[in-house]
Amino acid sequence: MKVAVIGGGIAGVSAAYELARAGVDFTLYEASHRLGGIIETVRRDGFVIECGPDSWVTEKPWARELAVELGLESEIIPSNDQQRRTYIVQSGEMVAMPDGMRMMVPTQWEPLLSSPLFSAEAKRDYLREPDQADELKAAVPESDESVASFVRRHFGDEVAATIAAPLLSGVFGGSVERLSVRAVMPAFVKMEREQGSLIQAMRKVAQESSAAVFTTLKSGLGTLVDCMVATLPAASVRLGDAVAGIARSGKNWQISASSGATEFDAVLVATPADVTRGLLAPLDAGCDELLAMEASSAIVVALAFAPEAAATLRIPHGFGFLVPQSFEREAEPQLLACTFVDQKFAHRAPRDGVLLRAFFGGEAAPRLLDSPDDGLVELARQQLSALLGSLPEASFSVVRRWPRSLPQYAVGHLERMARLEERLRGLPGLKLIGNAYYGVGLPDLIRQGRAAVRGLVFPSLLSR
Ligand SMILES: Cc1cc2nc3c(=O)[nH]c(=O)nc-3n(C[C@H](O)[C@H](O)[C@H](O)COP(=O)(O)OP(=O)(O)OC[C@H]3O[C@@H](n4cnc5c(N)ncnc54)[C@H](O)[C@@H]3O)c2cc1C
């Protein structure tokens, strides 16, 4: 059996790693000159700077399992949850989210009731929610709804706008009015179905689990990619080799890439949704509409302050802040969030150094994608100074642009994916993996990439 993997982000590299382990002949095509896609770690002067993802969600096991399998157990580190405090920017000030919040759900009353983040009315809405468990359970809608509508049913308008919107935009870069609750918050939907009240359900979860919320690797997530790549036969990896077309050739698939055309028994398409859409269009026009999705862009501006420069900084304790976004197209570009990286994780900065990672996203990002690095650094510095006090010159900065990198799972996403799978049955031996379908987080993509290979290879071994 010979398999083509198109796209060398985490989904494609995980698939290639699994193919290598199974001893299957494969070619991994990657358009750029490096593997990892959105995962990129820059190491400089004692700083470990993540240009894309900085961690995975601990409760999903697949990234950790892979790291252990790769011999990276001693590299695995948790987020510093004793420092875990996130601020929301309100009227130009950073206001701490109350302790004990799990996303927008409080697990303790006292910090919530004494928090200046919410009005008395919002606090009343919170207090009422557990008493409405039966009504909420009975009122679960038949079909999908937006995250905003789900949150409003439990906690009202203010909570949806003040906290759900910036939290979700921080992860997906999109509007909670459009995001599908079933696709992006399945655990919350399950809690509602089973218990009605999210507060009651989340309190049980909080009592049962004391694990840190996020997990990463000491030397950065690039190590996860590097260790997988080290197991791949060099001749199987084609960098700078963009795939331009996929065509049926009898029972096989013909891949046309910059390097020429080759035939394979099976194809795993691990490219971003826009590229996948173009590749599938000649094979099945029906997939086109199902793959057409909004995607948001992100820009990361990391500012590294060596100990001398950092001495004058007064960064509050916590993981960072989120800025509620204006979705008006004309609004001034605003930061979406900033992570206080050296507080969130150990091993990210030299002793007494400070590492800030600012993000632009949502409606603002497309307008900034063409700005030069200097301009982006200056814009980030100005907006950070307004919140954190004046910033000294950074010792160095790193800027990365990720255009249309985060597909938006709009309401009805899972039904569209079911229809897409149905259509793909007409293209046997071709599978889609990547962040456009069943999760944008690293654990989900690792699981998908590896499972897709098992789905291809095991049936083929059995039929021998
Ligand atoms: C700023 C940012 C921060 C994030 N933070 C987190 C986080 O902390 N934790 C988390 O779990 N997730 C996070 N995410 C989400 C996560 O990083 C992505 O969903 C994930 O990395 C996407 O992986 P992928 O393999 O699907 O796609 P990609 O990484 O986009 O890889 C696709 C690859 O396909 C290649 N390609 C494109 N066209 C072709 C072609 N024609 N031929 C061959 N190759 C092609 C591209 O060059 C690319 O390498 C973040 C995302 C962003 C943008």
Side-chain angles (χ1 to χ4, degrees):
M1 184 178 204
K2 202 171 161 204
V3 181
V5 182
I6 310 175
I10 187 71
V13 170
S14 301
Y17 165 73
E18 196 64 30
L19 286 163
R21 266 167 43 104
V24 175
D25 187 10
F26 72 94
T27 300
L28 170 60
Y29 292 95
E30 166 54 45
S32 76
H33 290 276
R34 50 173 283 278
L35 294 172
I38 302 171
I39 298 182
E40 185 189 351
T41 305
V42 170
R43 302 178 187 94
R44 180 170 159 188
D45 302 344
F47 290 90
V48 175
I49 301 176
E50 297 289 11
C51 302
D54 69 351
S55 54
W56 66 78
V57 174
T58 306
E59 71 179 8
K60 298 195 174 187
W62 307 289
R64 186 193 173 88
E65 277 168 16
L66 172 65
V68 170
E69 198 176 297
L70 290 166
L72 293 171
E73 194 159 6
S74 63
E75 275 265 330
I76 297 174
I77 53 169
S79 46
N80 292 327
D81 279 17
Q82 68 286 0
Q83 299 276 65
R84 194 167 136 235
R85 167 163 291 184
T86 302
Y87 299 86
I88 306 277
V89 174
Q90 259 187 350
S91 311
E93 301 283 331
M94 292 194 305
V95 182
M97 271 172 60
D99 285 347
M101 294 296 281
R102 297 275 179 121
M103 300 280 280
M104 70 295 292
V105 183
T107 60
Q108 299 165 30
W109 287 124
E110 201 286 315
L112 173 84
L113 297 177
S114 57
S115 165
L117 189 62
F118 301 108
S119 69
E121 200 190 342
K123 289 176 188 172
R124 268 196 302 275
D125 286 340
Y126 266 130
L127 285 167
R128 260 198 298 261
E129 199 253 7
D131 298 333
Q132 295 174 328
D134 291 339
E135 290 97 305
L136 286 163
K137 209 164 153 183
V140 171
E142 300 268 302
S143 53
D144 196 8
E145 62 182 324
S146 70
V147 168
S149 126
F150 176 86
V151 174
R152 274 189 203 114
R153 281 195 295 107
H154 286 263
F155 308 122
D157 280 340
E158 184 182 323
V159 171
T162 308
I163 182 162
L167 278 171
L168 272 290
S169 296
V171 178
F172 291 94
S175 160
V176 281
E177 302 292 343
R178 294 196 293 271
L179 288 172
S180 150
V181 74
R182 292 196 179 174
V184 307
M185 294 170 65
F188 287 74
V189 172
K190 186 163 177 271
M191 283 177 198
E192 180 186 60
R193 252 196 217 125
E194 290 172 358
Q195 305 192 41
S197 161
L198 299 179
I199 294 181
Q200 285 174 355
M202 201 53 104
R203 287 186 140 192
K204 284 188 204 142
V205 173
Q207 278 161 10
E208 282 161 14
S209 147
S210 57
V213 176
F214 304 107
T215 302
T216 192
L217 298 178
K218 273 181 203 165
S219 57
L221 294 172
T223 303
L224 196 63
V225 175
D226 294 345
C227 288
M228 281 194 281
V229 172
T231 68
L232 309 181
S236 300
V237 180
R238 302 249 180 95
L239 296 180
D241 202 0
V243 169
I246 306 175
R248 218 44 182 134
S249 164
K251 281 190 146 184
N252 292 346
W253 293 99
Q254 188 179 66
I255 302 297
S256 306
S258 321
S259 59
T262 314
E263 290 212 359
F264 295 91
D265 301 291
V267 190
L268 295 173
V269 187
T271 44
D274 291 345
V275 177
T276 305
R277 197 177 159 201
L279 291 173
L280 259 57
L283 297 172
D284 179 356
C287 293
D288 195 58
E289 176 228 341
L290 298 167
L291 282 166
M293 40 185 108
E294 279 183 44
S296 59
S297 301
I299 295 171
V300 177
V301 179
L303 303 175
F305 299 92
E308 321 76 72
T312 60
L313 281 169
R314 295 286 169 267
I315 308 295
H317 287 297
F319 280 9
F321 64 77
L322 299 162
V323 189
Q325 296 293 292
S326 156
F327 283 91
E328 286 161 31
R329 287 192 187 276
E330 301 314 315
E332 280 297 300
Q334 225 182 22
L335 279 181
L336 184 66
C338 175
T339 308
F340 309 153
V341 181
D342 51 286
Q343 298 192 54
K344 185 173 176 186
F345 294 109
H347 306 282
R348 287 292 172 268
R351 196 185 161 82
D352 297 328
V354 167
L355 179 58
L356 301 178
R357 214 165 72 114
F359 299 84
F360 293 98
E363 299 292 337
R367 278 179 285 147
L368 295 176
L369 285 170
D370 294 331
S371 303
D373 285 8
D374 291 357
L376 291 169
V377 169
E378 194 40 44
L379 189 64
R381 275 175 53 84
Q382 277 168 14
Q383 296 194 15
L384 289 171
S385 303
L387 291 162
L388 303 173
S390 93
L391 299 182
E393 271 307 304
S395 310
F396 68 93
S397 55
V398 175
V399 176
R400 282 295 178 281
R401 296 162 188 77
W402 302 111
R404 292 185 57 80
S405 53
L406 283 168
Q408 301 290 296
Y409 294 178
V411 174
H413 179 81
L414 294 178
E415 287 81 37
R416 277 194 297 280
M417 292 305 101
R419 278 171 27 225
L420 181 62
E421 275 180 28
E422 194 57 46
R423 296 215 70 93
L424 291 172
R425 285 204 192 105
L427 304 173
L430 183 145
K431 283 184 187 285
L432 306 184
I433 52 176
N435 68 5
Y437 317 106
Y438 296 106
V440 301
L442 305 180
D444 288 309
L445 296 169
I446 291 166
R447 181 184 53 79
Q448 266 181 45
R450 303 186 73 180
V453 168
R454 292 183 200 132
L456 279 180
V457 174
F458 291 165
S460 122
L461 287 178
L462 290 173
S463 67
R464 268 187 204 167

